[in-house]
């Protein structure tokens, strides 16, 4: 009889201990799941700057003023970049490249993880369209006088063929003039009278840069917003 009571007491103690453990676990889970405050939302940072003059255009194939070129560089990317404040050239959208022995062909192998601000993919066609447009507009294409043609080898390989060797060609590809525009934007906004959509690109951007055009009140102010899909 005594042994039976002792066994019963041990079973009761075990059950009570299990109830306490379960209650503790459930209570802890409930507390951290319900009462833990949400992490604070990322604070929005607004930077307000004063400029000495208004912009001229947002079009990389046309702009030349310091005000416009600084903004263009923020909204678009290029195949090659400068390394910080140095003149050293480093890959950007071009992972690497090959140069023919005669210096007339430059073949670039491109990144495959880049998207434009509207979500469409960056590829070799975008490079060809951008350089063809730059040369076609003809206002800021002096660094590309040697370019004979740009050909799409495959989706992420593009080739430049030159008429003559041009030593600063790689450096030219790091300039704002060589900014890569979204070919879809060109297709949507070009007209018979404006085949390069210059009117649209004067007042808008569609690139892959850290920022996107937001608003331009001519003679008063302009604003940009962060590109949420920026690749870096």
């Amino acid at each position: 009889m005594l042994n039976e009571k002792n066994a019963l007491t041990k079973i009761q103690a075990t059950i009570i201990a299990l109830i306490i453990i379960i209650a503790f676990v459930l209570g802890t889970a409930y507390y951290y799941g319900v009462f833990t405050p949400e992490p604070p939302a990322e604070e929005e940072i607004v930077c307000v700057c004063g400029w000495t003059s208004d912009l001229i255009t947002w079009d990389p194939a046309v702009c030349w003023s310091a005000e416009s070129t600084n903004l263009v560089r923020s909204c678009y990317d290029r195949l090659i970049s400068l390394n910080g404040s140095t003149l050293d050239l480093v890959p950007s959208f071009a992972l690497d490249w090959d140069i023919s022995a005669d210096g007339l062909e430059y073949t670039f192998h491109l990144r495959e993880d880049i998207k434009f601000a509207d979500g469409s993919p960056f590829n070799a066609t975008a490079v060809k369209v951008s350089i063809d447009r730059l040369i076609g507009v003809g206002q800021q294409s002096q660094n590309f006088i040697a370019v004979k043609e740009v050909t799409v080898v495959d989706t992420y390989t593009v080739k430049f063929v030159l008429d003559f060797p041009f030593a600063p060609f790689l450096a030219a590809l790091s300039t704002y003039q060589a900014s890569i525009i979204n070919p879809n934007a060109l297709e949507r906004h070009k007209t018979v009278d404006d085949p390069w959509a210059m009117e649209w690109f004067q007042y808008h951007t569609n690139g892959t840069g850290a920022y996107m055009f937001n608003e331009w009140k001519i003679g008063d102010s302009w604003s940009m917003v962060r590109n949420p899909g920026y690749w870096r």
Side-chain angles (χ1 to χ4, degrees), residues 80 158 225:
I80 297 174
V158 64
V225 295

Side-chain angles (χ1 to χ4, degrees), residues 56-68:
I56 295 175
T57 180
W58 293 79
D59 190 339
V62 176
C63 70
W64 54 267
S65 70
E67 290 78 12
S68 290

Side-chain angles (χ1 to χ4, degrees), residues 113-143:
D113 57 346
I114 308 297
K115 293 184 181 299
F116 288 98
D118 65 357
S120 56
F122 159 80
N123 51 36
T125 298
V127 178
K128 173 177 171 55
V129 168
S130 298
I131 302 302
D132 285 351
R133 179 178 184 271
L134 171 67
I135 296 172
V137 169
Q139 294 192 29
Q140 296 295 323
S141 57
Q142 60 273 18
N143 289 330

Side-chain angles (χ1 to χ4, degrees), residues 73 78-93 97 168 170-176 232:
R73 294 188 74 89
R78 290 144 290 278
L79 293 181
I80 297 174
S81 297
L82 295 178
N83 187 12
S85 60
T86 72
L87 296 179
D88 297 331
L89 299 173
V90 294
S92 180
F93 279 11
W97 50 86
L170 290 178
L173 290 173
S174 72
T175 63
Y176 70 85
R232 288 190 187 275

